[in-house]
Amino acid sequence: MIWNFQLSSPILAVQPEKRMFEAMGLETVIVSTIIGACALSFGASAYLFMRARPQPAAKDLEKIVKNAPYHRLHNVLKVEANS
Amino acid sequence: MKGPLKFKRRPATALVAMANSLSMGDAVPGDELRQIIGAVVSDRAERAALLAALRASNDPDCGLAVADLLTAYASDAAEAEAQARDADQVIGQWAQRLAAGALLASFGAAIAGTVTGGLAFGLTLLSFSGFVFATASRIGGRGKMRRRGQDRDSADSLARHVLEAGKLKKEGK
């Protein structure tokens, strides 16, 4: 079978201690998986927080209301000049 | 609403002025327009003032221009709402599930004895805080989504009312 051939290949059979993933303990695998999952989750949550942050207002509303083009309304609607 | 009624300078009249200015070919900064529409749409007094100002105006096309601006604002808000919903369902939900999975895995590893002592405690704490953080960010994102939905609904209804007001005026009611 294919996997048997791979496992008993001469290089791996001669130096079993050199196999990187074989040397990893169960604890390392589990700890790194959990830390990785948490890092992903934290990253995604931070991205969502940044998205949900309200956009800063471009200008003060009072200033926009004051400087709106009322001169265009002279025949259409009467708007008080200083209010 | 007949006679020389004078209106105050307020967001509603500023919106009418901007719409009139736009229909005459003048440029109006987009962010100012958006801010004014947002202020008008979310305030009941401003909505009433806008309807009153449009009924008092002498230009019948003014209401059409305002209604078009309001509809464009509503479609922008709908787009933002859809984006917020996508982000919540694609990213937020999976971030929460990932953190919950990590929490369960750390519990399992601690119970089985694969990870022990301070490391097990640290992992559980880390994944628990990740779950809390993911939940909080989802709540924030959903709040934004709801606000956008409200903006869309109120801009849509105001645009409808503006058009109705124009129709009533034309019929002389």
Side-chain angles (χ1 to χ4, degrees):
Chain A
M1 279 185 243
I2 296 171
W3 56 84
N4 276 348
F5 170 73
Q6 282 178 338
L7 283 176
S8 60
S9 72
I11 299 168
L12 296 180
V14 171
Q15 299 166 315
E17 71 281 359
K18 294 272 166 121
R19 280 186 275 176
M20 195 172 74
F21 294 110
E22 199 71 6
M24 261 167 115
L26 186 61
E27 187 183 335
T28 322
V29 173
I30 287 178
V31 168
S32 51
T33 309
I34 292 175
I35 288 177
C38 282
L40 261 179
S41 167
F42 267 112
S45 309
Y47 173 69
L48 276 190
F49 255 123
M50 276 174 59
R51 275 185 62 99
R53 211 172 34 182
Q55 300 291 322
K59 264 189 193 173
D60 190 23
L61 189 67
E62 298 251 327
K63 209 181 261 179
I64 302 175
V65 169
K66 220 172 184 182
N67 298 330
Y70 295 104
H71 58 279
R72 288 295 203 183
L73 283 178
H74 63 281
N75 277 335
V76 178
L77 189 71
K78 292 204 176 345
V79 178
E80 287 173 16
N82 302 314
S83 57
Chain B
M1 290 297 161
K2 303 275 187 287
L5 193 59
K6 273 205 167 188
F7 286 86
K8 281 185 179 171
R9 288 192 174 195
R10 55 193 300 173
T13 43
L15 175 58
V16 179
M18 282 176 171
N20 211 39
S21 179
L22 276 174
S23 64
M24 287 177 176
D26 280 1
V28 173
D31 51 342
E32 290 186 10
L33 189 59
R34 216 169 298 125
Q35 213 170 327
I36 283 285
I37 296 178
V40 171
V41 156
S42 57
D43 190 347
R44 282 181 194 164
E46 294 303 331
R47 291 166 73 100
L50 177 68
L51 291 173
L54 286 174
R55 288 205 72 183
S57 80
N58 294 322
D59 186 3
D61 293 340
C62 200
L64 282 179
V66 172
D68 185 62
L69 288 178
L70 288 172
T71 314
Y73 179 83
S75 70
D76 280 354
E79 173 68 25
E81 186 195 3
Q83 278 182 1
R85 182 178 295 122
D86 279 356
D88 178 63
Q89 285 180 353
V90 175
I91 303 171
Q93 210 169 37
W94 281 104
Q96 209 179 11
R97 285 176 183 170
L98 204 58
L103 183 62
L104 290 181
S106 59
F107 274 148
I111 290 166
T114 316
V115 185
T116 49
L119 190 57
F121 182 68
L123 274 186
T124 313
L125 203 63
L126 180 72
S127 44
F128 186 69
S129 55
F131 182 72
V132 171
F133 190 43
T135 309
S137 72
R138 252 193 107 184
I139 289 173
R142 288 180 81 86
K144 186 182 180 183
M145 196 166 86
R146 213 171 305 119
R147 268 198 310 280
R148 289 294 175 195
Q150 269 176 355
D151 279 357
R152 184 203 58 201
D153 287 347
S154 13
D156 256 342
S157 67
L158 188 57
R160 250 195 333 269
H161 295 161
V162 163
L163 291 177
E164 288 289 329
K167 258 190 238 167
L168 287 178
K169 200 182 165 201
K170 211 176 273 178
E171 290 165 8
K173 284 180 188 168

